[in-house]
Amino acid sequence: MKSSNTPHAFLYRAAIGAAALAMLAATGCGATTTGGEAAEGGDASVEEGFDIGLLLPESKTARYEKFDRPYFEEAVAELCEKCEVSYQNADQDTSKQQSQAEAMLTEGIDVMVLDAVDAEAAASVVQQAKSQGVPVVAYDRLAQGGVDYYVSFDNQTVGRTQGTALIEALEAEGTAGEGEIVMINGSPTDPNAADFKAGAHEVLDGQVEIGAEYDTADWSPDKAQQQMEQAITSIGADDITGVYSANDGMAAGIIAALKSAGVEDLPPVTGQDAELAGIQRIISGDQYMTVYKAIRPEAEVAAAMAVAAATGEEYEGGGEHMLTEVEDADGNTVPAVLLEPVAVTEDNVEDTVISDGFYSIEEICTDAYADTELCEQADGGDEDEDK
Ligand code: BGC
C-alpha cells in the first residue's frame, strides 16, 4: 500500500441534521453543502435512519469486541439516532466473512463497514456491494476492490515504532550488538501486517541480526507460541536478545514459549493494541512495549464516513482527522484518514492508556499486579487521599 501525504479536500455535502453536524464537529469532521464528488449509494437519510453492516475479522485479539464494536455503535447512535448496526465477527475465517457480508447485502444494508480477514478475497464482496449501490468503508485493514473510504492508523509507523522501541531496549540492556532477534509478524492476508513488517524492517535491518522470522496465519497466539518454540530450538534461548512481536495477542504466546523453555530473564518483546493483558505484562516486566492505537477516534471516523456515504454526502475529514489518499493493492485511490500510533512502555502507561480513559487503574491493578510499581504507587496515592 502506498500512502500519499497530500491532504485532499473532500467535501461533505448537504444537510445531515443538527445533531449529526454537532457530532461531526466534535469529532473533527467538517461538513459543507457544496462541491465534491458524491460517494456511491446515497439514498438513505439520517432523519429516517438506515442500516449499517459492521464486519469485524476475529475475536482472539481483544480490541474488536471490547472497543471497536461498542465505540462504533456509540458513534453511529450519536450521528444517526434511527440508524441500526448489524454486526458480525468472522472469527478469522475468510469464507465465513464472505457469507456474513452476502447475508447483510441480501438483508438490505445501506452501507458496509468492513475489516477484512483477507483483503484480497474481500474484493468480491466489495464489488458485489458496489453493484448493489451499497458503499463500503474499509475499517482498519484496506480491503481491495475499490472501497469508498478507509480509516486506519499509519501502519508503517506502527512497525517503525515497534522496531525503534526494540532497538532502544537492546541498547539499554547492552545487548544491541549481541545475539539474534526473532521476528514474528502477523497474518499474510492482512495488508496491515505487511506494513508493520516493512516499517519494523526499515528500522531493524542492519542494526540487529534477525535469526528467525515468521509470518503468522490468522494472527494466532498459539501459532506464534509454536514459532517461538522453533526459534528457541534453532537459535538457543541464551542467544535470543529480543523478539519483535507484531501484536499483544501473539506476544502472550511468545512469552509463554520463553517461560516454558526456562528463560527467567526475559528478552524485550514488543507488541501492539495495548490489550489489558499486554499492559499488565508491561508493568510486571514480562513484555517491553506495546503500541497504543486510540480506537475511539478510529470508530468515530468510520461512523462519520459510513453516514456520509450512505446519505450521498462526501466525508471531508478535518481537524485532527485530515483526509489523505492511499492506494489499494489493485491501484485504486481511496480517500483515507490515518491516525497516529503511540508507543507504550512501563514509563508512560499512566500518560497514555490511563489518562486517555482506555483503562482505569482498577482494571489494570488486579491482585496479581498489586506489587508492581505502578499499582503500589496508585495504592499509596489512595491511602494518602484517605488520610
Ligand atoms: C490490526 C491490529 C490487530 C491485528 C490482529 C490488524 O489488522 O491493525 O490492531 O492486532 O490485525 O487482529
Side-chain angles (χ1 to χ4, degrees), residues 161-170 181 204 242-244 268 270 288:
T161 304
Q162 294 167 320
T164 304
L166 186 55
I167 299 235
E168 282 166 5
L170 297 176
I181 69 149
L204 295 170
V243 185
Y244 167 86
T270 65
Y288 176 62

Side-chain angles (χ1 to χ4, degrees), residues 58 61 63-64 140-141 190 192 196 219 247 272-273 293:
E58 56 129 329
T61 300
R63 59 172 286 181
Y64 302 108
D140 201 73
R141 302 178 183 175
D190 174 356
N192 292 353
F196 305 145
W219 286 94
N247 80 353
Q272 168 177 198
D273 289 333
K293 303 194 297 188

Side-chain angles (χ1 to χ4, degrees), residues 72-94:
F72 181 79
E73 287 172 344
E74 275 173 40
V76 167
E78 288 275 341
L79 287 173
C80 177
E81 219 181 307
K82 293 191 178 154
C83 282
E84 296 216 350
V85 178
S86 321
Y87 170 69
Q88 293 288 347
N89 189 306
D91 294 316
Q92 198 60 50
D93 179 334
T94 306

Side-chain angles (χ1 to χ4, degrees), residues 103-132:
M104 284 184 184
L105 289 170
T106 307
E107 279 157 25
I109 52 165
D110 297 285
V111 56
M112 180 184 288
V113 176
L114 172 64
D115 192 344
V117 174
D118 181 325
E120 188 179 355
S124 70
V125 160
V126 171
Q127 272 152 12
Q128 190 183 333
K130 284 167 80 95
S131 72
Q132 291 180 216

Side-chain angles (χ1 to χ4, degrees), residues 57-64 68 92 115-116 139-142 150 152-153 155 158 186-187 190-193 196 218-220 246-250 272-275 291 293 295 298:
E58 56 129 329
S59 39
K60 285 195 179 155
T61 300
R63 59 172 286 181
Y64 302 108
D68 294 276
Q92 198 60 50
D115 192 344
Y139 184 73
D140 201 73
R141 302 178 183 175
L142 183 52
Y150 175 50
S152 191
F153 286 78
N155 293 311
V158 171
S187 164
D190 174 356
N192 292 353
F196 305 145
D218 301 343
W219 286 94
S220 158
N247 80 353
D248 289 345
M250 298 197 305
Q272 168 177 198
D273 289 333
E275 287 196 355
V291 177
K293 303 194 297 188
I295 294 169
E298 187 178 23

